Amino acid sequence: EKAFEVPKNTNSHYYKDVSKYKQLDVYRILKLFNVTDQNIGHAVKKLLAPGCRSGGKSFEQDINDARDSLNRLLEMMEEDK
């Protein structure tokens, strides 16, 4: 079996070896990319499947929710200065 290789001439930080997993979910992806901020995690979850998740929210509402989470992160960053 061939070992995982990052394609040449790429940004290697965008590639993760997932060969040991049978499946991936948003929580595994967040962990693989070391996302620890809750606002970013919430936005990523919304953006990976906008309008497709349970809860009946529309594509547009999920995009708005992701934006709101990121705007709140920016507000918090400003508050912490």
Side-chain angles (χ1 to χ4, degrees):
E1 193 172 308
K2 188 176 179 184
F4 171 75
E5 292 180 31
V6 174
K8 290 180 174 54
N9 300 319
T10 63
N11 295 314
S12 62
H13 56 279
Y14 289 122
Y15 293 85
K16 303 296 179 188
D17 181 3
V18 296
S19 60
K20 69 180 180 179
Y21 303 110
K22 288 185 176 185
Q23 59 187 7
L24 297 173
D25 64 8
V26 66
Y27 303 105
R28 176 65 68 197
I29 292 167
L30 293 170
K31 184 170 180 137
L32 285 168
F33 283 89
N34 298 314
V35 175
T36 58
D37 184 272
Q38 296 298 310
N39 298 79
I40 293 173
H42 185 253
V44 168
K45 185 173 80 166
K46 296 282 187 172
L47 294 171
L48 284 174
C52 298
R53 297 174 308 106
S54 62
K57 289 192 176 180
S58 68
F59 180 94
E60 184 176 2
Q61 185 59 52
D62 277 339
I63 299 300
N64 284 327
D65 288 352
R67 181 194 58 207
D68 292 346
S69 291
L70 295 174
N71 282 339
R72 179 60 185 134
L73 174 57
L74 291 170
E75 290 171 359
M76 291 168 58
M77 291 169 64
E78 188 64 29
E79 292 167 0
D80 289 342
K81 285 184 181 178

